[in-house]
Amino acid sequence: MWGASTSAHQVEGGTDNNWSEWEKKNAERLAREAHSKWDPGQREKFPEMLKAENYISGKACDHYNLYEKDFEIAKELGHNAHRFSVEWSRIEPEQGTFDEEQIEHYRKVIRSLREKGIEPFVCLWHWTNPVWLEKEGGIASELFVPYFSRYVDKVSQALGNEARFWVTLNEPTSMLAAGYVKGSWPPQKRNPFAALSIYKILSDAHKEAYGILHKNCENIKVGFADMLWYLEPANKNSILDKLVVKIADYFTNGKFLKMTEGFNDFLTAQYYFYRKFSFPGIAKNSFEDITDMGWDIHAEGIYHIITHLKKYNLPIYVTENGLADSEDKKRTKFIKDHLFCIHKAISEGADVRGYFYWSLLDNFEWDKGFWPRFGLVEVDFETQERRIRPSALEYKKTCESNELEIEE
Ligand code: BGC
């Protein structure tokens, strides 16, 4: 399968959830902090990062209204699969009250994809909570599991048989780390003990959802979207460096997967980050090749993380992999290099069945706002015009031929 991913809050526009509330309260602060957070070069290239409105998701890409047009573009780009998320706060705006019109909206979204020969991968939670749930403690609350289960039950009874692939949660570990350890995302806590209990809450939520989806639907496959980091010791001969890698690897890559073992029909890899560790912490990476956001580009890492998943003997989908590159200078090589490394893992026995580039559209990049441009398709957020980037046409060749052209 070849395609791209999006998430509701980042593209739909008009969402009313814990993130949209947080944005209103934090936009001014984020704009102020951008002066010291980013390099002068980045500030010059993306002056919008210094303005509060950059940090308000607002209309985003208006994908809620323009999805038909966007899926036409995906089709034109040769995609045969697409991952998107259902926005819980639309489906259950008040606790226990479900909005049938919104369920109908997502039925149309799924059908629109299928009509175009695009396989939908439906994600049920991509980090946003309805406001009422956040008030009750969000993912840190024991109530998250029964509330999530009720929502999954409702959605899967209504839509379960419309799609074959279901993703329960997006990157549980990213959300718990940024929201409860680093304290940079809502609800901005710094409480590692809460984070530990959230592993349990979210893994229970996934396992319950797995059961509910299978009870309500036939012939479906269920998994969760997993952020996997490629971690290495700075000094391969140092026992201490290797020890820090082991610990970091356990919390970022291993723990959640272990806690959900037996409750996944497929595994996923979402790969963005490569880090070297030197006891007792993170070493300075080489930063030879970076994205607009300053993230290291290290394609080989995807080979290692996929190879590591082989032992579970399950189909693997790369449900996200991409970069912020406003000028589209690096995207083609980025995609090709990562696909090359994925192919190497496949040729050594990894059962990789799909690749979803992040993202189909430029979108709202959480606490960074609109300036990081991840899209295969450029979006003018004022006019909502779409413009296909050259890299999208290169990727199209692979999507259509199932082959990767490389230069010798
Ligand atoms: C998330 C996306 C995000 C992307 C780029 C992934 O971790 O699932 O929502 O936009 O990374 O940061």
Side-chain angles (χ1 to χ4, degrees):
M1 290 183 195
W2 296 103
S5 285
T6 60
S7 93
H9 185 69
Q10 295 176 271
V11 296
E12 282 185 352
T15 51
D16 180 8
N17 56 36
N18 65 322
W19 270 89
S20 57
E21 293 275 293
W22 183 83
E23 290 155 21
K24 283 180 230 152
K25 291 185 194 129
N26 288 276
E28 295 283 351
R29 172 182 65 81
L30 293 167
R32 251 191 338 268
E33 287 175 2
H35 286 274
S36 52
K37 186 169 177 171
W38 303 99
D39 292 344
Q42 285 166 310
R43 296 199 301 267
E44 201 181 313
K45 193 165 168 194
F46 305 105
E48 62 271 39
M49 65 164 66
L50 305 172
K51 296 191 183 135
E53 57 263 35
N54 171 68
Y55 301 94
I56 305 276
S57 55
K59 280 198 182 137
C61 312
D62 197 21
H63 179 74
Y64 184 82
N65 296 308
L66 300 177
Y67 68 88
E68 187 67 39
K69 184 172 154 192
D70 291 335
F71 296 159
E72 276 302 333
I73 298 176
K75 184 178 169 195
E76 190 186 322
L77 292 176
H79 297 190
N80 62 18
H82 181 77
R83 173 174 163 251
F84 70 96
S85 74
V86 171
E87 177 59 32
W88 186 354
S89 61
R90 289 192 194 276
I91 304 283
E92 192 181 359
E94 302 294 334
Q95 207 238 97
T97 308
F98 293 90
D99 187 329
E100 298 297 333
E101 269 180 35
Q102 296 299 336
I103 294 179
E104 200 44 41
H105 168 80
Y106 288 107
R107 188 190 312 281
K108 286 190 201 140
V109 168
I110 297 175
R111 289 193 176 166
S112 161
L113 286 167
R114 297 198 84 143
E115 278 158 18
K116 296 175 183 58
I118 301 177
E119 182 81 53
F121 269 58
V122 189
C123 177
L124 288 158
W125 182 80
H126 198 121
W127 296 347
T128 51
N129 293 329
V131 173
W132 59 264
L133 171 60
E134 195 69 4
K135 283 192 186 137
E136 299 210 26
I139 58 173
S141 163
E142 294 288 340
L143 292 173
F144 185 85
V145 181
Y147 286 143
F148 185 64
S149 300
R150 186 175 59 180
Y151 154 70
V152 173
D153 191 41
K154 183 77 188 173
V155 175
S156 59
Q157 284 201 34
L159 306 177
N161 292 318
E162 303 269 346
R164 296 193 301 151
F165 292 90
W166 290 84
V167 175
T168 56
L169 304 171
N170 180 68
E171 294 184 6
T173 51
S174 309
M175 188 60 226
L176 70 87
Y180 291 85
V181 182
K182 204 172 161 212
S184 50
W185 289 357
Q188 286 188 278
K189 305 266 188 233
R190 285 192 184 174
N191 180 353
F193 292 108
L196 285 177
S197 69
I198 295 170
Y199 275 101
K200 167 96 173 78
I201 292 167
L202 292 182
S203 59
D204 283 350
H206 167 75
K207 291 194 278 189
E208 289 277 324
Y210 180 89
I212 294 166
L213 281 154
H214 277 297
K215 174 176 68 72
N216 289 342
C217 327
E218 281 169 14
N219 301 322
I220 57 159
K221 302 284 180 205
V222 182
F224 71 97
D226 202 6
M227 159 73 96
L228 295 173
W229 296 56
Y230 178 52
L231 309 174
E232 272 189 322
N235 174 356
K236 292 208 168 91
N237 300 315
S238 156
I239 295 177
L240 287 177
D241 287 9
K242 285 200 253 183
L243 180 72
V244 220
V245 168
K246 234 187 163 48
I247 297 169
D249 186 60
Y250 173 70
F251 285 106
T252 51
N253 299 328
K255 189 172 163 70
F256 201 84
L257 205 51
K258 182 109 203 98
M259 291 175 91
T260 57
E261 236 180 305
F263 294 84
N264 290 304
D265 302 324
F266 57 86
L267 298 181
T268 62
Q270 309 207 147
Y271 174 63
Y272 294 93
F273 296 115
Y274 163 58
R275 288 281 185 282
K276 280 189 183 162
F277 280 83
S278 168
F279 183 82
I282 298 176
K284 215 173 156 28
N285 277 22
S286 59
F287 297 109
E288 276 160 19
D289 194 11
I290 55 171
T291 73
D292 285 348
M293 295 169 83
W295 298 358
D296 248 346
I297 301 178
H298 187 72
E300 202 193 301
I302 205 166
Y303 162 80
H304 294 287
I305 60 166
I306 287 174
T307 301
H308 186 74
L309 295 179
K310 257 190 344 195
K311 64 176 183 224
Y312 294 97
N313 280 323
L314 286 169
I316 301 164
Y317 295 89
V318 176
T319 40
E320 281 187 36
N321 173 232
L323 84 168
D325 174 23
S326 63
E327 291 172 0
D328 205 38
K329 283 192 179 144
K330 299 188 174 182
R331 193 169 280 105
T332 294
K333 178 164 165 29
F334 178 99
I335 295 176
K336 286 192 175 191
D337 288 352
H338 283 77
L339 292 182
F340 183 78
C341 294
I342 295 170
H343 181 262
K344 183 165 174 238
I346 295 174
S347 63
E348 293 171 11
D351 186 7
V352 182
R353 304 208 181 160
Y355 177 85
F356 298 73
Y357 175 79
W358 180 271
S359 177
L360 177 64
L361 306 167
D362 286 341
N363 60 56
F364 182 73
E365 177 58 17
W366 305 109
D367 62 336
K368 316 289 181 307
F370 286 108
W371 68 264
R373 302 283 184 150
F374 278 87
L376 291 169
V377 178
E378 184 182 340
V379 176
D380 179 327
F381 296 110
E382 291 292 316
T383 62
Q384 294 301 344
E385 258 171 273
R386 273 64 169 151
R387 199 175 61 81
I388 291 172
R389 291 201 164 101
S391 56
L393 299 175
E394 279 299 315
Y395 178 48
K396 173 181 166 146
K397 291 184 196 159
T398 292
C399 298
E400 286 179 345
S401 64
N402 204 35
E403 283 175 5
L404 178 66
E405 221 176 82
I406 50 165
E407 279 150 36
E408 292 293 326

